[in-house]
Amino acid sequence: MRKSGYRLGLWLHLGIGLLVIVLLFQIADRYRFRLDMTEENRYSISDPTRNLLKRLDADVIVEVYLAGELPANFIRFQKSIRELLEEFSIYTDVNFDVKFVDPGEAASTRARNQYFQGLINQGLQPTNLNYTIDGKSTQKLIFPGAIISYGGRELALNLLKGNRASGPEEIINQSIEGLEYEFANAIQQLAGTGRKRVGLITGHNEPDTSQLAGLNNLVLTKYDLFRVNLPTRTTPITGYDLLLVTKPTTAFSDREKFLLDQFVMKGGSIAFFLDALSVNMDSAAGDGTVAIPYDTKLADLLFKYACGSIKIMWPISTVVISL
């Protein structure tokens, strides 16, 4: 009798234990949390970041371009990024999809170069690594950064942010320390409302997308950027807080200048970045170099605003007008 009661007690305790485990799994699945027991609080993120993640109402996609064969210090960097983003996913109710991609895995040299150029155009900065693994010297071009997508918008994020005067290990350490801020700040920018709208004037042989990648990415960190093809515009320019005219080389028509003027007269602002002269830089160091003026026919429009706030920036002739 005692033996049967003992067995019954064991089965009862076992059943209760299994029930508790099932309940704990259900609670953990519904209310996700993590206990940070590391000395350096590796898995602890700040309250403002947690609050930001809890407010997200659209899915987040993060592509980190740090994968494949890497030296030990960059493997450590990669691991820190992965751990932080896993922590981010704990505190949000939306899908937080993280992918680690090796851009060097493209099928052909041409495809790889196109992939690299695409990342550069989006604002990611490449780094050329020289390292030794198993006695073999290796050189590899990497993009230690990420592209974050949220709510239909994208933002390129360069993650190698240490002081370049420091050694490689110190740069990695400084970059790891700044990871939470970099990712949280990028998500905040993408999730923010009421962003200013900037129109980029096109249609006058301005620099192409790759040449303006740095400017575009800088503007997109704070504002929404849109292309405005001025020659095809038939209606007044509205809905923008600022227009950018970036190094045009062909003439503006009277109708186009009228559209720009009306935009300013209705309270808008225009920033002009102009090269006054065309110079062949390949022969600039030699004798007989000729500089040819660009005839954009903007002189009358700029003269009209001469009493406004105008700033000339050198060494190139750059005129910025903000009214």
Side-chain angles (χ1 to χ4, degrees):
M1 193 69 174
R2 288 182 179 178
K3 198 170 185 179
S4 297
Y6 178 72
R7 288 179 178 177
L8 180 61
L10 285 177
W11 283 110
L12 183 61
H13 282 85
L14 180 60
I16 293 173
L18 291 174
L19 180 61
V20 169
I21 292 174
V22 171
L23 289 174
L24 287 175
F25 273 112
Q26 290 180 343
I27 293 173
D29 183 62
R30 186 169 182 179
Y31 304 100
R32 292 175 292 175
F33 65 93
R34 178 181 289 177
L35 295 177
D36 187 356
M37 302 183 67
T38 62
E39 292 183 3
E40 65 275 21
N41 294 323
R42 180 183 304 170
Y43 299 115
S44 295
I45 59 177
S46 64
D47 289 337
T49 299
R50 294 184 188 185
N51 294 334
L52 167 65
L53 295 170
K54 290 176 182 177
R55 293 195 304 267
L56 297 180
D57 57 6
D59 293 345
V60 179
I61 300 175
V62 183
E63 285 195 354
V64 182
Y65 298 95
L66 200 60
E69 185 181 82
L70 296 167
N73 53 356
F74 276 88
I75 291 176
R76 181 167 61 89
F77 189 30
Q78 178 198 68
K79 181 181 178 182
S80 297
I81 296 171
R82 189 187 303 276
E83 290 173 345
L84 177 75
L85 295 178
E86 287 176 355
E87 181 72 3
F88 274 28
S89 69
I90 295 293
Y91 293 100
T92 182
D93 293 326
V94 301
N95 290 328
F96 201 96
D97 187 17
V98 179
K99 302 174 184 177
F100 282 78
V101 180
D102 181 4
E105 286 187 343
S108 66
T109 301
R110 181 178 179 182
R112 183 167 59 251
N113 291 338
Q114 289 178 341
Y115 197 172
F116 287 172
Q117 189 60 52
L119 294 177
I120 293 172
N121 291 346
Q122 288 183 275
L124 291 182
Q125 299 172 0
T127 296
N128 195 25
L129 287 184
N130 293 283
Y131 57 97
T132 302
I133 293 182
D134 298 329
K136 179 182 177 182
S137 295
T138 303
Q139 186 177 69
K140 183 176 184 180
L141 189 69
I142 66 168
F143 290 81
I147 292 179
I148 305 175
S149 303
Y150 175 86
R153 295 194 295 269
E154 288 187 346
L155 182 64
L157 184 61
N158 291 292
L159 298 173
L160 200 61
K161 292 293 186 71
N163 185 349
R164 296 307 172 96
S166 305
E169 289 297 327
E170 184 59 27
I171 291 176
I172 294 293
N173 291 337
Q174 293 172 4
S175 300
I176 290 174
E177 290 173 2
L179 282 177
E180 180 186 339
Y181 169 79
E182 296 295 340
F183 276 106
N185 185 53
I187 293 173
Q188 174 67 58
Q189 291 176 27
L190 291 172
T193 57
R195 284 161 58 101
K196 300 279 188 185
R197 293 166 60 89
V198 177
L200 181 66
I201 298 296
T202 64
H204 289 277
N205 198 28
E206 294 86 357
D208 60 27
T209 302
S210 63
Q211 293 171 306
L212 291 177
L215 173 64
N216 292 348
N217 193 58
L218 179 62
V219 172
L220 285 169
T221 61
K222 298 292 183 181
Y223 314 106
D224 290 331
L225 184 64
F226 304 88
R227 292 182 173 274
V228 181
N229 191 315
L230 194 59
T232 63
R233 189 87 182 193
T234 58
T235 58
I237 303 172
T238 59
Y240 303 102
D241 299 283
L242 173 71
L243 295 180
L244 295 178
V245 179
T246 54
K247 299 180 65 175
T249 58
T250 58
F252 284 70
S253 68
D254 290 338
R255 181 186 61 82
E256 292 169 338
K257 289 186 287 185
F258 175 77
L259 290 175
L260 294 176
D261 183 54
Q262 287 300 298
F263 176 79
V264 173
M265 292 300 102
K266 292 180 180 179
S269 296
I270 305 179
F272 290 87
F273 298 87
L274 306 177
D275 269 353
L277 303 174
S278 173
V279 180
N280 186 344
M281 298 307 296
D282 292 333
S283 61
D287 297 331
T289 300
V290 177
I292 302 174
Y294 285 121
D295 186 16
T296 60
K297 299 193 181 304
L298 288 172
D300 56 341
L301 188 65
L302 298 178
F303 180 79
K304 180 178 179 179
Y305 301 141
C307 60
S309 174
I310 301 179
K311 185 177 181 181
I312 309 295
M313 301 177 63
W314 301 98
I316 65 171
S317 302
T318 304
V319 181
V320 181
I321 298 179
S322 179
L323 300 175

